[in-house]
Amino acid sequence: MSTYPDKNGRYGEFGGRFVPETLMSPLAEIEQAHNEAMKDPAFLKEYHFLLKEYSGRPTTVTFAKNVTEKLGGAKIYLKREDLNHTGAHKINNAIGQALLAKRMGKTKIIAETGAGQHGVATATVAAKFGMECKVFMGEEDVRRQQLNVFRMQLLGAEVIPVTSGNKTLKDATNEAMRYWVQHCEDHFYIIGSAVGPHPYPYIVKEFQRVIGDEAKAQFQEIEGNLPTKVIACVGGGSNAIGMFSAFLNDNVELVASEAAGMGVDTDMHAATITKGTKGVLHGSLTYLIQDQYGQVIEPYSISAGLDYPGIGPEHAHLASTGRVKYESVTDKEALHALELLAKQEGILAAIESAHALATAFEHAQQMASHESILICLSGRGDKDVHTLMSYYQEGTANENTLQAAVTR
Amino acid sequence: MKTLFKQPLQDKKLFIPFITAGDPHSDATIELAVALQEAGASAIELGIPFSDPIADGPVIQKASSRALKNGMNIVKAIQLVPEMRKKGVNIPIILFTYYNPVLQLDQEHFFALLRENTVDGLLIPDIPFEESEELRKKCQEHSISFISLVAPTSTSRIKMIVENAEGFVYCVSSLGVTGVRKSFDNSITTFLDEVKQYSKVPVVVGFGISSKEQVEQFSNLCDGVVVGSALVREIERLQTSLLNKNSRQQAIDEFRTFAHTFGA
């Protein structure tokens, strides 16, 4: 049975709280407020009401009949987080943390975002609750995710382009943390993935476990048993941890897909578990892509949502204990899977989610027809259309790939 | 417990300057350290450049990037200390580093390096008290002071942190990251009084101190100041001259004069 995180926020040796002293009291206050909130029926009632009435939960579980027939192996099911309001699982956590902020009397929100989905989700709930919202986003991501930047601005949020480092998610996170250190007394920092100092990885998991809880019940209703395998993509790992949480103590194989970019034998990937080593970044001890002297290396993936050099500490723990298997998927493999799903099922997945699809499709072909795979389809691909267009029009490398090659 | 400052403090206030190792290059760092001692420094904080310095503002971030581009790393930075000693630097040297570079070295090797190279103290801004036990013990074994930071938000944590402090207590002047500030909140007096009440070691204020007036303002409230960004900004201004052999001496002289305003 899982008893983590412990009182120091550790998942085995991973996790913890490696932050400037200034943030220690604010983190303790958030931990206490969260613990109290999760025991308060009124809070939970409001959270679940908003998930239902505002976000459109429960999201469905779809049997991918055509893909299943085409691949000729295990039955493939999709947990449709893409059907959420704002188009991804990120809204579950944004609603939860914004409610927590409200409960703590905070009216100013900060967030960081890579692909923009967490930024959009946060800007959305901030608008809903009448809160001021600043979203930190790497300048490079601002450029490649213009649609989401504009959405955030329409929702009334201020998008702050970050110019340090490689101008992507890692740098946006550094900048959001710096801003928070300065404004921690009246700002709530909504972290978007299962990363950061304790209690954030735990809070994010608690607000994302709705994915797994729902999916498990729905799957049992459809199939009368548990899936053989459950598969989700991981960058920081929030949709995966939410999905896996319901199955950790079941006899179900859990597989996570990380971004191999141009391949794990190149230096252009974001495969943190496959290629990373233990280290401390953004407040927690986890696996990192870094050099021998502890300088963090900018990762690469065609998916702006997966190019993070670290991973949530609970994933680091699940990998080290072997409970979850972490496999890597290249850009090309992910896009093939995306295309297959679009053409066979009429569902355009986010490139992040396409990594999980690629892993699942490969597994499915090796499995028997009475077996089944449940995939977390974490989000829809609308935001990625621009990236996809350049990829297909230019044949091979898209502009992100070229840009990453140039900055390396 | 090791005493970082051997002389009784009496009337002289502590002036602890911060510079980044390898900014703008290794030779300059050694000469800048000499100049700081001549300008009245009581100790030197030697910053190890890190790719993700979340406790630092833009001035020190940029210095880190410059040093990393020059190939600086934690091992090379520690090895600058004996070079400084050869040039006559005899004041305590405190290594300022984020936790990740430290974690990547074998810990026995790391502490052996610190000892061999006569490093006196270790300051890691992303290691709060709760995560510090192991490093603290290792530091004690090797007679190295583990410097603790205490912040205005520390409130109920002040006593715990300060009672365990070694070398000196580093009080963060205000919320936020390192960087120049125009003024400080009045509540700092109450904060410093509480710290002094529990402290057995000197109480020093840092983050944002950038003028002689500010040093004087704090001299009545505590035992000394840390000056970082203001000096690093001056190094940034002088970098072209520091990189050029012919103009380096003049740049070092200018830097010494500037540093002297804090150390006099």
Side-chain angles (χ1 to χ4, degrees):
Chain A
M1 284 297 285
S2 53
T3 50
Y4 45 75
D6 66 15
K7 66 175 172 42
N8 298 317
R10 296 287 187 137
Y11 301 82
E13 65 182 302
F14 302 101
R17 219 171 242 185
F18 297 91
V19 292
E21 169 59 25
T22 303
L23 293 180
M24 289 301 281
S25 290
L27 286 170
E29 282 163 27
I30 292 172
E31 184 181 15
Q32 198 191 340
H34 178 253
N35 285 340
E36 286 168 9
M38 297 309 271
K39 284 181 213 136
D40 179 355
F43 178 87
L44 292 173
K45 194 178 160 195
E46 193 176 2
Y47 168 64
H48 287 290
F49 175 76
L50 285 166
L51 288 183
K52 177 170 177 267
E53 187 252 15
Y54 189 61
S55 184
R57 300 201 73 93
T59 58
T60 60
V61 165
T62 302
F63 176 46
K65 184 168 172 285
N66 299 340
V67 172
T68 299
E69 282 168 8
K70 192 164 176 79
L71 296 176
K75 285 172 274 185
I76 293 172
Y77 286 91
L78 307 169
K79 175 59 175 167
R80 302 286 306 280
E81 289 303 293
D82 60 315
L83 297 179
N84 271 303
H85 178 48
T86 71
H89 71 290
K90 295 288 186 188
I91 193 78
N92 306 329
N93 173 57
I95 289 175
Q97 287 199 43
L99 280 177
L100 191 58
K102 196 173 102 179
R103 186 182 170 93
M104 292 175 75
K106 314 265 180 184
T107 55
K108 293 174 183 165
I109 299 292
I110 50 175
E112 87 298 320
T113 198
Q117 287 308 96
H118 172 59
V120 168
T122 304
T124 299
V125 291
K128 170 102 176 138
F129 295 160
M131 292 165 158
E132 225 176 80
C133 179
K134 282 191 174 62
V135 180
F136 293 84
M137 191 167 182
E139 208 175 48
E140 175 56 22
D141 288 336
V142 167
R143 194 186 63 77
R144 50 181 180 174
Q145 297 290 340
Q146 286 170 24
L147 184 65
N148 272 343
V149 172
F150 186 60
R151 283 168 81 188
M152 287 184 259
Q153 288 165 341
L154 276 179
L155 292 160
E158 184 188 350
V159 178
I160 301 169
V162 173
T163 56
S164 57
N166 229 33
K167 302 167 188 161
T168 60
L169 180 58
K170 173 174 87 98
D171 314 293
T173 308
N174 285 336
E175 215 50 52
M177 290 190 93
R178 290 190 187 107
Y179 189 88
W180 193 39
V181 174
Q182 207 170 345
H183 299 94
C184 56
E185 287 182 321
D186 61 345
H187 283 62
F188 189 99
Y189 180 14
I190 299 189
I191 292 186
S193 196
V195 301
H198 179 65
Y200 276 102
Y202 177 66
I203 289 177
V204 173
K205 178 191 181 175
E206 289 301 293
F207 288 137
Q208 292 294 6
R209 69 183 316 140
V210 63
I211 306 172
D213 289 344
E214 260 179 33
K216 186 175 175 177
Q218 289 165 318
F219 188 90
Q220 281 174 317
E221 202 180 314
I222 300 165
E223 281 278 324
N225 56 19
L226 290 173
T228 316
K229 298 186 188 193
V230 172
I231 299 181
C233 67
V234 280
S238 69
N239 87 85
I241 209 69
M243 185 71 167
F244 293 163
S245 62
F247 299 97
L248 282 172
N249 299 316
D250 294 324
N251 184 24
V252 170
E253 205 179 303
L254 304 175
V255 185
S257 318
E258 42 182 29
M262 308 288 277
V264 288
D265 48 349
T266 72
D267 62 352
M268 293 184 61
H269 62 79
T272 313
I273 298 277
T274 311
K275 300 286 281 187
T277 51
K278 286 172 200 169
V280 166
L281 179 70
H282 299 149
S284 80
L285 176 63
T286 183
Y287 285 105
L288 288 182
I289 305 173
Q290 58 180 330
D291 72 11
Q292 60 169 320
Y293 294 111
Q295 307 300 340
V296 182
I297 295 169
E298 296 284 348
Y300 161 79
S301 164
I302 189 173
S303 161
L306 298 183
D307 66 355
Y308 182 69
I311 188 165
E314 188 168 1
H315 283 292
H317 176 65
L318 291 169
S320 71
T321 60
R323 177 63 190 97
V324 178
K325 270 173 57 190
Y326 292 78
E327 299 183 358
S328 54
V329 171
T330 62
D331 289 353
K332 212 171 165 181
E333 290 165 338
L335 293 180
H336 280 159
L338 183 144
E339 204 177 330
L340 181 70
L341 188 76
K343 296 209 165 122
Q344 296 295 320
E345 303 288 348
I347 297 170
L348 182 61
I351 301 178
E352 289 90 330
S353 318
H355 285 72
L357 293 172
T359 302
F361 294 169
E362 201 191 314
H363 280 249
Q365 294 173 74
Q366 319 299 324
M367 292 163 68
S369 60
H370 68 274
E371 294 183 300
S372 54
I373 297 179
L374 178 60
I375 306 164
C376 184
L377 193 74
S378 56
R380 61 177 173 244
D382 303 24
K383 69 178 168 55
D384 294 324
V385 167
H386 183 71
T387 304
L388 293 168
M389 271 171 72
S390 24
Y391 183 86
Y392 288 110
Q393 283 167 1
E394 287 160 31
T396 54
N398 76 349
E399 59 168 328
N400 300 337
T401 316
L402 293 173
Q403 180 63 31
V406 166
T407 53
R408 216 146 291 255
Chain B
M1 184 177 53
K2 195 181 168 231
T3 316
L4 200 57
F5 302 103
K6 291 169 188 77
Q7 308 297 322
L9 287 170
Q10 296 173 358
D11 56 334
K12 170 89 168 84
K13 293 289 174 178
L14 296 172
F15 162 48
I16 306 175
F18 169 98
I19 52 174
T20 300
D23 170 38
H25 66 85
S26 297
D27 292 350
T29 303
I30 296 162
E31 290 183 40
L32 290 168
V34 175
L36 285 169
Q37 174 167 288
E38 290 165 356
S42 330
I44 291 172
E45 254 188 59
L46 183 65
I48 311 289
F50 179 49
S51 54
D52 297 86
I54 53 167
D56 283 303
V59 173
I60 293 176
Q61 274 181 64
K62 272 196 269 170
S64 270
S65 308
R66 288 195 294 270
L68 286 175
K69 276 193 195 120
N70 291 338
M72 184 47 62
N73 63 46
I74 185 166
V75 175
K76 283 188 190 169
I78 296 170
Q79 287 164 348
L80 288 181
V81 179
E83 302 292 320
M84 293 174 186
R85 300 297 187 209
K86 266 188 234 160
K87 297 272 173 122
V89 176
N90 54 24
I91 52 178
I93 295 179
I94 299 145
L95 216 60
F96 175 103
T97 172
Y98 287 84
Y99 187 34
N100 196 45
V102 172
L103 202 57
Q104 301 317 311
L105 299 177
D106 171 78
Q107 295 301 287
E108 286 307 319
H109 172 62
F110 172 64
F111 280 97
L113 266 180
L114 294 185
R115 274 300 292 252
E116 275 162 30
N117 293 290
T118 64
V119 172
D120 304 274
L122 188 59
L123 198 169
I124 308 182
D126 58 348
I127 293 268
F129 184 77
E130 285 81 349
E131 302 283 0
S132 69
E133 198 185 325
E134 217 181 304
L135 276 172
R136 218 171 256 283
K137 266 191 203 148
K138 283 266 197 242
C139 279
Q140 273 164 0
E141 266 172 46
H142 293 266
S143 298
I144 289 159
S145 300
F146 189 85
I147 311 295
S148 304
L149 287 113
V150 58
T153 51
S154 297
T155 54
S156 63
R157 302 164 50 79
I158 292 179
K159 187 166 186 274
M160 167 182 83
I161 297 167
V162 173
E163 281 183 346
N164 289 284
E166 293 172 19
F168 62 90
V169 181
Y170 190 138
C171 299
V172 176
S173 68
S174 42
L175 298 186
V177 291
T178 59
V180 170
R181 287 162 177 63
K182 285 204 183 84
S183 62
F184 297 92
D185 196 277
N186 286 332
S187 62
I188 186 131
T189 312
T190 334
F191 168 51
L192 291 177
D193 281 345
E194 193 179 350
V195 174
K196 280 191 285 189
Q197 183 192 326
Y198 300 117
S199 184
K200 297 180 284 265
V201 290
V203 175
V204 165
V205 176
F207 279 39
I209 296 165
S210 58
S211 68
K212 190 167 179 62
E213 292 68 39
Q214 288 173 338
V215 172
E216 277 162 10
Q217 179 195 341
F218 281 114
S219 73
N220 300 320
L221 303 173
C222 64
D223 302 310
V225 293
V226 174
V227 179
S229 294
L231 291 167
V232 173
R233 200 167 55 180
E234 185 68 1
I235 293 169
E236 185 180 1
R237 190 180 71 80
L238 294 167
Q239 62 173 314
T240 317
S241 318
L242 285 167
L243 287 167
N244 182 332
K245 268 210 162 102
N246 299 323
S247 54
R248 185 181 302 161
Q249 193 50 51
Q250 196 196 330
I252 295 283
D253 292 342
E254 271 185 60
F255 178 75
R256 188 191 306 106
T257 308
F258 179 75
H260 198 73
T261 58
F262 303 104

